[in-house]
Coordinates of all heavy atoms in Angstrom, one line a residue:
M38 N -52.4 1.7 18.6 CA -51.9 1.2 17.3 C -51.2 2.3 16.6 O -51.7 3.4 16.5 CB -53.1 0.8 16.5 CG -52.7 0.2 15.1 SD -54.2 -0.4 14.3 CE -54.0 0.4 12.7
R39 N -50.0 2.0 16.2 CA -49.2 3.0 15.4 C -49.4 2.9 14.0 O -49.3 1.8 13.4 CB -47.6 2.7 15.8 CG -47.2 3.5 17.0 CD -45.8 3.8 16.8 NE -45.0 2.7 17.5 CZ -43.7 2.6 17.3 NH1 -43.0 3.3 16.5 NH2 -43.1 1.6 18.0
I40 N -49.7 4.0 13.3 CA -49.9 4.0 11.9 C -48.6 4.2 11.2 O -48.2 3.5 10.3 CB -50.9 5.1 11.6 CG1 -52.2 4.9 12.2 CG2 -51.0 5.3 10.0 CD1 -53.2 6.0 12.0
W41 N -47.7 5.2 11.7 CA -46.4 5.5 11.1 C -45.4 4.7 11.9 O -45.3 4.8 13.0 CB -46.1 6.9 11.1 CG -47.2 7.7 10.4 CD1 -48.2 8.5 11.0 CD2 -47.4 7.8 9.0 NE1 -49.0 9.0 10.1 CE2 -48.6 8.7 8.8 CE3 -46.9 7.2 7.9 CZ2 -49.1 8.9 7.6 CZ3 -47.3 7.5 6.6 CH2 -48.4 8.3 6.5
R42 N -44.6 3.9 11.1 CA -43.6 3.1 11.8 C -42.3 4.1 11.7 O -42.1 4.7 10.7 CB -43.3 1.8 11.1 CG -44.3 0.8 11.3 CD -44.2 -0.4 10.5 NE -42.8 -0.9 10.4 CZ -42.4 -1.8 9.7 NH1 -43.2 -2.5 8.9 NH2 -41.1 -2.3 9.7
S43 N -41.6 4.1 12.9 CA -40.4 4.9 12.8 C -39.4 4.3 12.0 O -39.3 3.1 11.9 CB -39.9 5.1 14.2 OG -39.5 3.9 14.8
R44 N -38.8 5.2 11.2 CA -37.7 4.7 10.2 C -36.5 4.4 11.0 O -36.0 5.2 11.9 CB -37.4 5.7 9.2 CG -38.5 5.7 8.2 CD -38.0 6.5 7.0 NE -39.1 6.5 6.0 CZ -38.9 7.1 4.8 NH1 -37.7 7.7 4.5 NH2 -39.8 7.0 3.8
R45 N -35.8 3.3 10.7 CA -34.5 3.1 11.3 C -33.5 3.8 10.5 O -33.6 3.9 9.3 CB -34.2 1.5 11.1 CG -35.0 0.7 12.1 CD -34.5 -0.8 11.9 NE -35.2 -1.6 12.9 CZ -35.1 -2.9 12.9 NH1 -34.3 -3.5 12.1 NH2 -35.8 -3.7 13.7
P46 N -32.5 4.3 11.2 CA -31.5 5.0 10.4 C -30.7 4.0 9.5 O -30.5 2.8 9.9 CB -30.5 5.5 11.5 CG -30.8 4.7 12.7 CD -32.3 4.3 12.7
E47 N -30.4 4.4 8.3 CA -29.7 3.5 7.4 C -28.4 3.3 7.9 O -27.7 4.2 8.4 CB -29.7 4.2 6.0 CG -31.1 4.2 5.3 CD -31.0 4.8 4.0 OE1 -29.9 4.8 3.4 OE2 -32.1 5.2 3.5
P48 N -27.9 2.0 7.7 CA -26.5 1.7 8.1 C -25.5 2.5 7.3 O -25.7 2.7 6.1 CB -26.4 0.2 8.0 CG -27.4 -0.2 7.0 CD -28.6 0.9 7.2
A49 N -24.4 2.9 7.9 CA -23.4 3.7 7.2 C -22.8 2.8 6.0 O -22.6 1.6 6.2 CB -22.3 4.1 8.2
P50 N -22.5 3.4 5.0 CA -22.0 2.5 3.9 C -20.6 2.1 4.3 O -19.9 2.7 5.0 CB -21.9 3.5 2.7 CG -21.9 4.9 3.4 CD -22.7 4.8 4.6
A51 N -20.2 0.9 3.8 CA -19.0 0.3 4.2 C -17.9 1.0 3.5 O -17.9 1.3 2.3 CB -18.9 -1.2 3.7
R52 N -16.9 1.4 4.3 CA -15.8 2.2 3.8 C -14.6 1.3 3.4 O -14.5 0.2 4.1 CB -15.3 3.2 4.9 CG -16.2 4.4 5.0 CD -15.4 5.5 5.7 NE -16.1 5.6 7.1 CZ -15.4 6.2 8.0 NH1 -14.1 6.6 8.0 NH2 -16.0 6.3 9.2
P53 N -13.9 1.6 2.4 CA -12.8 0.7 2.0 C -11.7 0.7 3.2 O -11.5 1.7 3.7 CB -12.3 1.3 0.7 CG -12.7 2.8 0.8 CD -14.0 2.7 1.5
R54 N -11.3 -0.5 3.5 CA -10.4 -0.6 4.6 C -9.0 -0.6 4.1 O -8.6 -1.1 3.0 CB -10.6 -2.0 5.3 CG -12.0 -2.0 6.0 CD -12.0 -3.1 7.0 NE -12.9 -2.7 8.1 CZ -12.6 -2.7 9.3 NH1 -11.4 -3.0 9.7 NH2 -13.4 -2.3 10.2
A55 N -8.1 0.0 4.8 CA -6.7 0.1 4.5 C -6.1 -1.3 4.6 O -6.6 -2.1 5.4 CB -6.0 1.0 5.4
N56 N -5.1 -1.6 3.8 CA -4.5 -2.9 3.8 C -3.8 -3.0 5.1 O -2.8 -2.3 5.5 CB -3.5 -3.0 2.6 CG -2.8 -4.2 2.4 OD1 -2.8 -5.1 3.4 ND2 -2.1 -4.4 1.4
P57 N -4.1 -4.0 6.0 CA -3.5 -4.3 7.3 C -2.0 -4.5 7.1 O -1.2 -4.2 8.0 CB -4.2 -5.3 7.9 CG -5.0 -6.0 6.8 CD -5.1 -5.1 5.7
N58 N -1.6 -5.2 6.1 CA -0.2 -5.5 5.9 C 0.6 -4.2 5.6 O 1.7 -4.0 6.3 CB -0.1 -6.4 4.7 CG 1.4 -6.8 4.4 OD1 2.2 -7.0 5.3 ND2 1.8 -6.8 3.1
R59 N 0.0 -3.3 4.8 CA 0.7 -2.0 4.6 C 0.8 -1.2 5.8 O 1.8 -0.5 6.2 CB -0.2 -1.3 3.5 CG 0.4 0.0 3.1 CD 1.2 -0.2 1.8 NE 1.8 1.1 1.4 CZ 3.1 1.3 1.4 NH1 4.0 0.5 1.8 NH2 3.5 2.5 1.0
I60 N -0.3 -1.2 6.7 CA -0.3 -0.5 8.0 C 0.8 -1.0 8.9 O 1.6 -0.3 9.4 CB -1.6 -0.7 8.7 CG1 -2.7 0.1 7.9 CG2 -1.6 -0.2 10.1 CD1 -4.1 -0.1 8.4
A61 N 1.0 -2.4 8.9 CA 2.0 -3.0 9.8 C 3.4 -2.6 9.3 O 4.3 -2.3 10.1 CB 1.9 -4.5 9.8
V62 N 3.6 -2.5 8.0 CA 4.9 -2.1 7.4 C 5.2 -0.7 7.7 O 6.3 -0.3 8.1 CB 4.9 -2.4 5.9 CG1 6.2 -1.8 5.3 CG2 4.9 -3.9 5.6
L63 N 4.2 0.2 7.6 CA 4.3 1.6 8.0 C 4.6 1.8 9.4 O 5.4 2.7 9.8 CB 3.1 2.4 7.5 CG 2.9 2.7 6.1 CD1 1.6 3.3 5.8 CD2 4.1 3.6 5.6
E64 N 4.0 1.0 10.3 CA 4.2 1.1 11.7 C 5.6 0.7 12.0 O 6.4 1.4 12.8 CB 3.4 0.1 12.5 CG 1.9 0.6 12.7 CD 1.1 -0.4 13.4 OE1 1.5 -1.5 13.6 OE2 0.0 -0.1 13.7
H65 N 6.2 -0.3 11.3 CA 7.6 -0.6 11.4 C 8.5 0.5 10.9 O 9.4 0.9 11.6 CB 7.9 -1.8 10.6 CG 9.3 -2.2 10.5 ND1 10.1 -1.8 9.5 CD2 10.1 -2.9 11.3 CE1 11.4 -2.2 9.7 NE2 11.4 -2.9 10.8
D66 N 8.2 1.1 9.8 CA 9.0 2.1 9.2 C 9.0 3.5 9.9 O 10.0 4.0 10.2 CB 8.6 2.4 7.7 CG 8.9 1.3 6.8 OD1 9.6 0.3 7.3 OD2 8.4 1.3 5.7
L67 N 7.8 3.8 10.4 CA 7.7 5.2 11.0 C 7.8 5.2 12.5 O 8.3 6.1 13.1 CB 6.3 5.8 10.6 CG 6.0 5.9 9.1 CD1 4.6 6.4 8.9 CD2 7.0 6.9 8.5
L68 N 7.3 4.2 13.1 CA 7.3 4.1 14.6 C 8.2 3.0 15.3 O 8.4 3.0 16.4 CB 5.9 3.8 15.1 CG 4.8 4.7 14.5 CD1 3.4 4.2 14.9 CD2 5.0 6.1 15.0
G69 N 8.8 2.2 14.4 CA 9.8 1.2 14.8 C 9.1 0.0 15.5 O 9.7 -0.8 16.3
I70 N 7.8 -0.2 15.3 CA 7.1 -1.3 15.9 C 7.3 -2.5 15.1 O 7.0 -2.5 13.9 CB 5.6 -1.0 16.0 CG1 5.3 0.2 16.8 CG2 4.8 -2.1 16.5 CD1 3.9 0.8 16.8
P71 N 7.9 -3.6 15.6 CA 8.2 -4.7 14.8 C 6.9 -5.5 14.5 O 6.0 -5.6 15.4 CB 9.1 -5.6 15.7 CG 8.9 -5.1 17.1 CD 8.4 -3.7 17.0
P72 N 6.7 -6.0 13.3 CA 5.6 -6.8 13.0 C 5.5 -8.1 13.7 O 6.6 -8.6 14.1 CB 5.6 -7.0 11.5 CG 7.1 -6.9 11.2 CD 7.6 -5.9 12.2
K73 N 4.4 -8.7 13.8 CA 4.3 -10.1 14.5 C 5.0 -11.1 13.6 O 4.8 -11.1 12.3 CB 2.8 -10.5 14.6 CG 2.1 -9.8 15.8 CD 0.7 -10.3 15.9 CE 0.0 -9.5 17.0 NZ -1.5 -9.6 16.9
P74 N 5.8 -12.0 14.2 CA 6.5 -13.0 13.4 C 5.6 -13.9 12.6 O 4.5 -14.2 13.2 CB 7.3 -13.8 14.4 CG 7.4 -12.9 15.6 CD 6.1 -12.1 15.6
G75 N 5.9 -14.2 11.4 CA 5.0 -15.1 10.6 C 4.0 -14.4 9.8 O 3.3 -15.0 9.1
T76 N 3.8 -13.1 10.0 CA 2.8 -12.4 9.2 C 3.4 -12.0 7.9 O 4.5 -11.9 7.7 CB 2.3 -11.1 10.0 OG1 3.4 -10.3 10.3 CG2 1.7 -11.5 11.3
A77 N 2.5 -11.5 7.1 CA 2.8 -11.0 5.7 C 3.7 -9.8 5.8 O 4.7 -9.6 5.1 CB 1.6 -10.7 4.9
A78 N 3.4 -8.9 6.9 CA 4.2 -7.7 7.1 C 5.7 -8.1 7.4 O 6.6 -7.5 7.0 CB 3.6 -6.9 8.2
A79 N 5.9 -9.1 8.3 CA 7.2 -9.5 8.7 C 7.9 -10.1 7.5 O 9.1 -9.8 7.3 CB 7.1 -10.6 9.8
L80 N 7.2 -10.8 6.6 CA 7.9 -11.3 5.4 C 8.2 -10.3 4.5 O 9.3 -10.2 3.9 CB 6.8 -12.3 4.8 CG 7.4 -13.0 3.5 CD1 8.5 -13.9 3.9 CD2 6.3 -13.9 2.8
T81 N 7.3 -9.2 4.4 CA 7.6 -8.1 3.5 C 9.0 -7.4 3.9 O 9.8 -7.1 3.1 CB 6.5 -7.1 3.5 OG1 5.3 -7.8 3.2 CG2 6.7 -5.9 2.6
I82 N 9.1 -7.2 5.2 CA 10.3 -6.5 5.7 C 11.5 -7.4 5.6 O 12.6 -6.9 5.2 CB 10.0 -6.0 7.1 CG1 9.0 -4.9 7.2 CG2 11.3 -5.5 7.8 CD1 8.3 -4.6 8.5
A83 N 11.3 -8.7 5.9 CA 12.5 -9.5 5.6 C 12.9 -9.6 4.2 O 14.1 -9.6 3.9 CB 12.1 -11.0 6.1
M84 N 11.9 -9.6 3.3 CA 12.3 -9.6 1.9 C 12.9 -8.3 1.4 O 13.8 -8.3 0.6 CB 11.0 -9.8 1.0 CG 10.3 -11.2 1.2 SD 11.3 -12.5 0.5 CE 10.7 -12.4 -1.2
R85 N 12.5 -7.3 2.1 CA 13.1 -6.0 1.8 C 14.7 -6.0 2.1 O 15.5 -5.4 1.4 CB 12.5 -4.9 2.6 CG 13.0 -3.5 2.3 CD 12.5 -2.6 3.4 NE 11.1 -2.2 3.3 CZ 10.4 -1.5 4.1 NH1 11.0 -1.3 5.3 NH2 9.2 -1.3 4.0
R86 N 15.0 -6.7 3.2 CA 16.4 -6.8 3.5 C 17.2 -7.5 2.5 O 18.4 -7.3 2.3 CB 16.6 -7.4 4.9 CG 16.1 -6.6 6.0 CD 16.5 -7.1 7.4 NE 15.8 -6.4 8.4 CZ 14.9 -7.0 9.2 NH1 14.7 -8.3 9.1 NH2 14.3 -6.3 10.1
I87 N 16.6 -8.5 1.8 CA 17.2 -9.2 0.8 C 17.4 -8.3 -0.5 O 18.2 -8.5 -1.3 CB 16.4 -10.5 0.4 CG1 16.3 -11.4 1.7 CG2 17.1 -11.3 -0.7 CD1 15.4 -12.5 1.6
G88 N 16.5 -7.3 -0.6 CA 16.6 -6.4 -1.7 C 15.6 -6.7 -2.8 O 15.8 -6.4 -3.9
T89 N 14.6 -7.4 -2.4 CA 13.5 -7.8 -3.4 C 12.2 -7.6 -2.8 O 12.0 -7.6 -1.5 CB 13.7 -9.2 -4.0 OG1 12.7 -9.4 -5.0 CG2 13.5 -10.2 -2.9
C90 N 11.1 -7.6 -3.5 CA 9.7 -7.5 -3.0 C 8.8 -8.2 -3.9 O 9.2 -8.4 -5.1 CB 9.3 -6.1 -2.6 SG 9.4 -5.0 -3.9
F91 N 7.7 -8.6 -3.5 CA 6.7 -9.3 -4.3 C 6.3 -8.5 -5.5 O 6.3 -9.0 -6.6 CB 5.5 -9.6 -3.6 CG 5.7 -10.4 -2.3 CD1 5.3 -9.9 -1.0 CD2 6.2 -11.7 -2.3 CE1 5.5 -10.6 0.1 CE2 6.4 -12.4 -1.3 CZ 6.0 -11.8 0.0
E92 N 6.0 -7.2 -5.2 CA 5.5 -6.3 -6.3 C 6.1 -4.9 -6.0 O 5.8 -4.4 -5.0 CB 4.0 -6.3 -6.4 CG 3.5 -5.6 -7.6 CD 2.0 -5.8 -7.7 OE1 1.4 -6.5 -6.9 OE2 1.4 -5.0 -8.5
H93 N 6.9 -4.4 -6.9 CA 7.5 -3.1 -6.7 C 6.4 -2.0 -6.6 O 5.4 -2.1 -7.3 CB 8.5 -2.8 -7.7 CG 9.7 -3.6 -7.6 ND1 10.6 -3.6 -6.5 CD2 10.2 -4.6 -8.5 CE1 11.5 -4.5 -6.8 NE2 11.4 -5.2 -7.9
E94 N 6.6 -1.0 -5.9 CA 5.7 0.1 -5.7 C 6.5 1.3 -6.0 O 6.9 2.0 -5.1 CB 5.1 0.1 -4.3 CG 3.8 0.8 -4.2 CD 3.2 0.5 -2.9 OE1 3.4 1.3 -2.0 OE2 2.4 -0.5 -2.7
P95 N 6.7 1.7 -7.3 CA 7.5 2.8 -7.7 C 6.9 4.1 -7.4 O 5.7 4.3 -7.6 CB 7.8 2.6 -9.2 CG 6.6 1.8 -9.7 CD 6.1 1.0 -8.5
V96 N 7.7 5.1 -6.9 CA 7.3 6.5 -6.8 C 8.3 7.3 -7.6 O 9.5 7.1 -7.4 CB 7.4 6.9 -5.3 CG1 7.2 8.4 -5.1 CG2 6.3 6.2 -4.5
E97 N 7.8 8.1 -8.5 CA 8.6 8.8 -9.4 C 9.5 9.8 -8.7 O 8.9 10.6 -7.9 CB 7.8 9.4 -10.5 CG 8.6 9.9 -11.7 CD 7.9 10.2 -12.9 OE1 6.7 9.8 -13.0 OE2 8.5 10.7 -13.8
T98 N 10.7 9.8 -9.1 CA 11.7 10.8 -8.4 C 12.4 11.6 -9.5 O 13.5 12.1 -9.3 CB 12.7 10.1 -7.5 OG1 13.4 9.0 -8.3 CG2 12.1 9.5 -6.4
T99 N 11.8 11.7 -10.7 CA 12.4 12.2 -11.8 C 12.6 13.8 -11.5 O 11.7 14.5 -11.2 CB 11.7 12.1 -13.1 OG1 11.3 10.7 -13.2 CG2 12.4 12.6 -14.3
G100 N 13.8 14.3 -11.8 CA 14.0 15.7 -11.7 C 14.0 16.3 -13.1 O 13.7 15.7 -14.1
L101 N 14.0 17.6 -13.2 CA 14.0 18.3 -14.5 C 15.1 17.9 -15.3 O 16.3 17.9 -14.9 CB 14.0 19.8 -14.2 CG 12.7 20.5 -13.8 CD1 13.0 21.9 -13.5 CD2 11.7 20.3 -14.9
G102 N 14.9 17.6 -16.6 CA 15.8 17.2 -17.5 C 16.4 15.9 -17.4 O 17.5 15.6 -18.0
E103 N 15.9 15.0 -16.5 CA 16.4 13.7 -16.3 C 15.5 12.7 -17.1 O 14.4 13.0 -17.4 CB 16.4 13.3 -14.8 CG 17.4 14.0 -14.0 CD 17.3 13.6 -12.5 OE1 16.4 12.8 -12.1 OE2 18.1 14.1 -11.7
K104 N 16.1 11.5 -17.3 CA 15.3 10.4 -17.8 C 14.4 9.9 -16.7 O 14.7 10.0 -15.5 CB 16.2 9.2 -18.2 CG 16.9 9.5 -19.5 CD 17.4 8.2 -20.1 CE 18.5 7.5 -19.3 NZ 19.1 6.4 -20.0
P105 N 13.2 9.5 -17.0 CA 12.2 9.1 -16.0 C 12.8 8.0 -15.1 O 13.3 7.0 -15.5 CB 11.1 8.5 -16.8 CG 11.1 9.1 -18.1 CD 12.6 9.3 -18.4
N106 N 12.8 8.3 -13.8 CA 13.3 7.3 -12.8 C 12.5 7.3 -11.5 O 11.7 8.3 -11.3 CB 14.8 7.6 -12.4 CG 15.0 9.0 -11.9 OD1 14.6 9.3 -10.7 ND2 15.7 9.9 -12.6
A107 N 12.6 6.3 -10.7 CA 11.7 6.1 -9.6 C 12.5 5.3 -8.5 O 13.5 4.7 -8.9 CB 10.4 5.5 -10.0
L108 N 11.9 5.3 -7.3 CA 12.3 4.4 -6.3 C 11.2 3.5 -5.8 O 10.0 4.0 -5.7 CB 12.9 5.2 -5.1 CG 14.3 5.8 -5.2 CD1 14.5 6.7 -4.0 CD2 15.3 4.8 -5.3
C109 N 11.5 2.3 -5.5 CA 10.4 1.4 -4.9 C 10.2 1.8 -3.5 O 11.3 1.8 -2.7 CB 10.8 0.0 -5.1 SG 9.7 -1.2 -4.3
T110 N 9.1 2.0 -3.0 CA 8.9 2.4 -1.7 C 8.9 1.2 -0.7 O 9.0 1.4 0.5 CB 7.5 3.1 -1.5 OG1 6.5 2.2 -1.9 CG2 7.4 4.4 -2.2
R111 N 8.9 0.0 -1.3 CA 9.0 -1.2 -0.4 C 10.4 -1.6 -0.2 O 10.9 -1.8 0.9 CB 8.2 -2.3 -1.0 CG 6.8 -2.1 -1.0 CD 6.1 -3.3 -1.6 NE 4.6 -3.0 -1.5 CZ 3.7 -3.8 -2.0 NH1 4.1 -4.9 -2.7 NH2 2.4 -3.5 -1.9
C112 N 11.2 -1.8 -1.3 CA 12.5 -2.3 -1.2 C 13.6 -1.3 -1.5 O 14.8 -1.6 -1.3 CB 12.7 -3.5 -2.1 SG 12.7 -3.2 -3.8
G113 N 13.3 -0.1 -1.9 CA 14.2 0.9 -2.2 C 15.0 0.8 -3.4 O 16.0 1.5 -3.7
A114 N 14.6 -0.2 -4.3 CA 15.4 -0.4 -5.6 C 15.1 0.8 -6.5 O 14.0 1.4 -6.5 CB 14.9 -1.6 -6.2
A115 N 16.2 1.2 -7.2 CA 16.1 2.2 -8.2 C 15.4 1.6 -9.4 O 15.7 0.5 -9.8 CB 17.5 2.7 -8.6
M116 N 14.5 2.4 -10.0 CA 13.7 1.9 -11.1 C 13.8 2.9 -12.3 O 14.0 4.1 -12.1 CB 12.3 1.6 -10.8 CG 12.2 0.7 -9.5 SD 10.6 0.1 -9.1 CE 10.3 -1.1 -10.4
V117 N 13.7 2.4 -13.5 CA 13.6 3.3 -14.7 C 12.4 2.9 -15.5 O 11.8 1.8 -15.3 CB 14.9 3.1 -15.6 CG1 16.1 3.7 -14.9 CG2 15.1 1.6 -16.0
L118 N 12.0 3.9 -16.2 CA 10.7 3.6 -17.1 C 11.2 2.8 -18.3 O 12.0 3.3 -19.0 CB 10.1 5.0 -17.5 CG 8.7 4.9 -18.0 CD1 7.7 4.4 -17.0 CD2 8.3 6.3 -18.4
G119 N 10.5 1.7 -18.5 CA 10.8 0.9 -19.7 C 10.2 1.5 -21.0 O 9.5 2.4 -21.0
D120 N 10.5 0.7 -22.1 CA 10.1 1.2 -23.4 C 8.5 1.2 -23.5 O 7.9 1.9 -24.3 CB 10.7 0.4 -24.5 CG 12.2 0.6 -24.6 OD1 12.6 1.7 -24.2 OD2 12.9 -0.3 -25.0
E121 N 7.9 0.2 -22.7 CA 6.5 -0.1 -22.9 C 5.7 0.8 -21.8 O 4.5 0.4 -21.5 CB 6.1 -1.5 -22.9 CG 6.5 -2.2 -24.1 CD 6.9 -3.7 -23.8 OE1 6.4 -4.3 -22.9 OE2 7.7 -4.2 -24.7
G122 N 6.4 1.7 -21.2 CA 5.7 2.5 -20.1 C 5.6 1.8 -18.8 O 4.8 2.2 -18.0
D123 N 6.4 0.8 -18.6 CA 6.3 0.1 -17.3 C 7.6 0.3 -16.5 O 8.7 0.5 -17.1 CB 6.1 -1.4 -17.5 CG 7.2 -2.1 -18.4 OD1 7.7 -1.3 -19.3 OD2 7.5 -3.2 -18.3
W124 N 7.5 0.3 -15.2 CA 8.7 0.5 -14.4 C 9.5 -0.7 -14.3 O 8.9 -1.8 -14.0 CB 8.3 1.1 -13.0 CG 7.8 2.4 -13.0 CD1 6.4 2.8 -13.0 CD2 8.5 3.6 -13.3 NE1 6.4 4.1 -13.1 CE2 7.6 4.7 -13.2 CE3 9.9 3.9 -13.4 CZ2 7.9 6.0 -13.4 CZ3 10.2 5.3 -13.5 CH2 9.2 6.3 -13.5
R125 N 10.8 -0.6 -14.4 CA 11.7 -1.9 -14.3 C 12.8 -1.4 -13.3 O 13.2 -0.3 -13.3 CB 12.3 -2.2 -15.7 CG 11.3 -2.7 -16.6 CD 11.8 -3.1 -17.9 NE 10.8 -3.4 -18.9 CZ 10.9 -3.5 -20.1 NH1 12.1 -3.3 -20.7 NH2 9.9 -3.8 -20.9
V126 N 13.4 -2.5 -12.7 CA 14.5 -2.3 -11.8 C 15.7 -1.8 -12.6 O 16.0 -2.5 -13.7 CB 14.8 -3.6 -11.0 CG1 16.1 -3.3 -10.2 CG2 13.6 -3.9 -10.1
A127 N 16.3 -0.8 -12.2 CA 17.5 -0.2 -13.0 C 18.6 -1.2 -12.8 O 18.9 -1.7 -11.7 CB 17.8 1.2 -12.5
E128 N 19.3 -1.5 -13.9 CA 20.5 -2.3 -13.9 C 21.7 -1.5 -13.6 O 21.8 -0.4 -14.2 CB 20.6 -3.1 -15.2 CG 19.6 -4.2 -15.3 CD 19.3 -4.5 -16.7 OE1 20.1 -4.2 -17.6 OE2 18.1 -4.9 -16.9
A129 N 22.6 -2.0 -12.7 CA 23.7 -1.2 -12.2 C 24.7 -0.9 -13.4 O 24.8 -1.7 -14.3 CB 24.4 -1.8 -11.1
Ligands
ZN257 ZN1 10.5 -3.2 -4.7

């Protein structure tokens, strides 16, 4: 008869998973791997060719002494900082 039960190792905590759509888009951009047709990644890349995306993902590219500006990492659109602190697509 065992008095002390051996402890089971606690399961590892669930780690946040990367967005599979984003991974597929990055695979396309960096490695040239085409996404599977009909997937959200394929749609994202097709929408990028049209010049639009579901939700812009701006990365600030402001230089010294410039007005705040950014580029969308998904569609490449130039963006400017709006009056309310939100990024908007720059009008040509
Ligand atoms: Zn965009």
Side-chain angles (χ1 to χ4, degrees):
M38 186 176 126
R39 267 207 267 165
I40 298 172
W41 303 105
R42 288 174 43 189
S43 62
R44 284 192 178 185
R45 285 187 181 173
E47 289 182 22
R52 283 197 252 159
R54 295 197 149 236
N56 183 347
N58 181 40
R59 184 96 180 111
I60 291 172
V62 171
L63 282 172
E64 282 177 349
H65 171 269
D66 290 351
L67 302 175
L68 307 173
I70 300 169
K73 284 182 186 161
T76 59
L80 184 63
T81 302
I82 290 163
M84 294 291 275
R85 181 193 284 170
R86 290 195 193 116
I87 300 168
T89 185
C90 56
F91 303 120
E92 192 178 344
H93 293 295
E94 204 168 90
V96 170
E97 192 165 352
T98 54
T99 309
L101 279 175
E103 288 180 356
K104 284 199 292 183
N106 60 71
L108 282 175
C109 175
T110 57
R111 290 183 180 172
C112 69
M116 305 188 78
V117 291
L118 196 61
D120 295 333
E121 290 152 24
D123 55 330
W124 291 103
R125 294 180 185 168
V126 175
E128 285 148 27

